[in-house]
Amino acid sequence: QTHTLIFIAQQYSAHMRLLLLLLQQLLPLLLLLLLLVLSCCYGGEVGAGTGTHSMSSEGHQKRIKAISDQLSSKPAGSRVTLKRSQSEGHCPRPLSYKHAATQVDISDMNKLISLEILDARDDIPNGFNRKEIVAIADVQAMMSMEDLVDALLPHGFIPAVVPEFKGITIGGSIQGLAAESTSFKYGFVHDAIAGFEALLGDGRVLWCSPDSNADIFYGLPGTFGTIAIITRVKLYCLKAEPFVSIKCIVHNTADRCINYMGYIQDKNLD
């Protein structure tokens, strides 16, 4: 009888190990299927929720109105700067030049406003693959790339260009230019956006896109805040896959490497 119990226990243990092994092998597939189901179920606009990374459009507009009123009533000739401490910025320049300026505090404008899911009828810019650009994230400009990715991943999306510097803000990545490994395909951060909201020195608030205030849309990136302050951005997003395939190809000349990058780009844009 003792031998029988030991045999049963051994059989049970073997079956449990087999079951655990199967679950371990199937878990990535189950997670992938869950992600696909969630992404397919979305349609239209997805609310950003009420978490620490979210802000309603009405709340944003109310905040912008207060800043606009501040600038429209500032002393004539007063310089406009962002109110930031030395530790909050990434410039070694002393902040004494800000003392006599009108300082605009947008440090709390760091939320995701909404997430719009694109369908086959929506237009996307030339040079973007319809199969890859699947959503537009409406974001306040002071949101960091780290917080934006954290807010988008639960929905199954990620910005087309994500600089590896986690602390860079969305607005700062446009004002100061930012790139990453996907830039050979999508360009700089500002090349992968639908538009942005610009706050001018006189208090005016303009929406800038290829079809509206196009001169500012194309001229502002890389101007480091000298033209306007970006307060809101709509970025193109990709579907966030659960795994990334990496393939290393060695080229013996720079020309072959550049030509191959162009080949990959053209192949993916077909």
Side-chain angles (χ1 to χ4, degrees), residues 11-77:
Q11 289 291 98
Y12 176 78
S13 178
H15 284 112
M16 287 300 297
R17 286 198 299 271
L18 180 60
L19 179 60
L20 290 174
L21 181 62
L22 288 173
L23 287 176
Q24 185 179 7
Q25 296 296 323
L26 291 174
L27 184 58
L29 179 60
L30 293 175
L31 291 175
L32 175 60
L33 290 174
L34 178 61
L35 181 62
L36 291 175
V37 169
L38 290 175
S39 63
C40 290
C41 288
Y42 286 130
E45 186 172 293
V46 177
T50 57
T52 57
H53 295 317
S54 65
M55 162 69 74
S56 68
S57 182
E58 293 76 14
H60 173 83
Q61 292 172 0
K62 182 178 179 179
R63 186 74 179 85
I64 286 296
K65 177 65 167 57
I67 299 175
S68 176
D69 291 343
Q70 176 192 359
L71 292 182
S72 61
S73 60
K74 69 178 176 62

Side-chain angles (χ1 to χ4, degrees), residues 178-197:
E180 195 39 65
S181 57
T182 57
S183 291
F184 85 93
K185 187 174 181 181
Y186 300 113
F188 291 97
V189 170
H190 68 264
D191 291 317
I193 64 174
F196 56 77
E197 182 181 74

Side-chain angles (χ1 to χ4, degrees), residues 109-140:
M109 300 179 67
N110 54 4
K111 306 293 190 299
L112 173 65
I113 297 174
S114 67
L115 184 60
E116 179 187 356
I117 311 303
L118 302 178
D119 59 34
R121 296 168 296 178
D122 293 314
D123 293 329
I124 60 172
N126 293 330
F128 287 87
N129 191 326
R130 158 61 63 189
K131 297 179 182 178
E132 293 182 321
I133 302 298
V134 294
I136 294 178
D138 189 355
V139 186
Q140 290 184 304

